[in-house]
Amino acid sequence: MGLAMIPLGLAFGTLVVQSGLDWWWAGLSAALIYGGSFEFLLIGMVTAAAPLVSIAVAAFLVNARHVFYALSFPLHRVRGRLGKTYSTFALTDEAYALTSTEHSRSWSSPRILWVQLFMHLYWAGSAAAGALLGALVPDSVTGLDFALTALFTVLALDAIRDLHGDVPTLVLALLSAVAARLVFPDQMLLAAFALFTTGLLARHLATGRKHRHA
């Protein structure tokens, strides 16, 4: 997981320098914002001197998916107020995918925090390295842009294995994605999450009623 984040961080750091910002901006924003895709969007907004209100709205729309992650993220297993605060801050797609699976249900508080910390360090460190050394990467190097796609493909396959043949959930996820793509193409991710969550809640309520009547 960490190795997959390195080319993304290098690309981000290189983009920061090419946009006219100082090299230290890459590592600092990666460490303090730690927003992944939003950080790429933020570069253009900063260089264009976008209003703070516009930046805040963009941050909300891009990161609204974390509201759904919080529904099943094992924050209750993280000990201490400081640990819970950092774990909430460092809740990313990758951290959620690793800590919410069936085999990770026995993970302790330190293990969850170490996983999040190391991914944070991978991202911030590779971003700083990209800003310092990005100019040395030759243009002939290809495939760096595919790292994110490959990473999420692996995460999706792991999630499917954890379902243990739960075909209805897979079908519901696929239908939610297709419907969101057709009806809400500009906000596909947020719409797909909302549809999927609504479908899961409806199925849960329907299953509960069947059990009560039985």
Side-chain angles (χ1 to χ4, degrees):
M1 187 74 71
L3 293 176
M5 296 177 72
I6 290 178
L8 300 177
L10 293 175
F12 173 71
T14 302
L15 183 60
V16 166
V17 175
Q18 291 178 349
S19 299
L21 300 173
D22 293 329
W23 68 269
W24 52 264
W25 201 91
L28 184 64
S29 65
L32 298 181
I33 300 175
Y34 195 33
S37 56
F38 173 67
E39 290 180 56
F40 282 92
L41 177 63
L42 184 62
I43 296 174
M45 301 186 76
V46 169
T47 55
L52 290 178
V53 174
S54 299
I55 295 177
V57 171
F60 173 77
L61 292 176
V62 173
N63 295 315
R65 65 189 185 278
H66 290 86
V67 175
F68 299 94
Y69 292 164
L71 297 175
S72 54
F73 181 75
L75 187 63
H76 60 281
R77 296 209 305 267
V78 179
R79 299 177 182 175
R81 182 175 300 178
L82 183 61
K84 289 182 181 294
T85 300
Y86 177 75
S87 186
T88 302
F89 165 75
L91 175 55
T92 61
D93 303 298
E94 297 82 6
Y96 175 80
L98 287 176
T99 58
S100 61
T101 59
E102 183 176 353
H103 74 274
S104 63
R105 290 178 182 175
S106 60
W107 286 9
S108 63
S109 174
R111 182 168 184 178
I112 294 174
L113 289 172
W114 278 115
V115 166
Q116 291 184 278
L117 177 61
F118 272 112
M119 285 193 289
H120 193 178
L121 293 176
Y122 267 114
W123 173 249
S126 58
L132 290 171
L133 307 173
L136 301 178
V137 178
D139 296 335
S140 59
V141 175
T142 59
L144 295 180
D145 54 343
F146 187 71
L148 185 61
T149 303
L151 171 61
F152 280 98
T153 299
V154 173
L155 294 178
L157 292 175
D158 286 341
I160 291 173
R161 293 192 187 99
D162 279 340
L163 291 177
H164 298 299
D166 187 2
V167 177
T169 299
L170 294 176
V171 173
L172 179 60
L174 180 60
L175 292 177
S176 299
V178 172
R181 180 67 179 86
L182 295 175
V183 182
F184 306 101
D186 295 333
Q187 297 296 333
M188 176 185 172
L189 185 60
L190 181 59
F193 269 118
L195 291 173
F196 185 57
T197 302
T198 302
L200 290 176
L201 290 174
R203 189 180 70 172
H204 176 72
L205 292 175
T207 303
R209 289 175 181 174
K210 289 182 179 180
H211 286 312
R212 285 196 296 270
H213 287 305

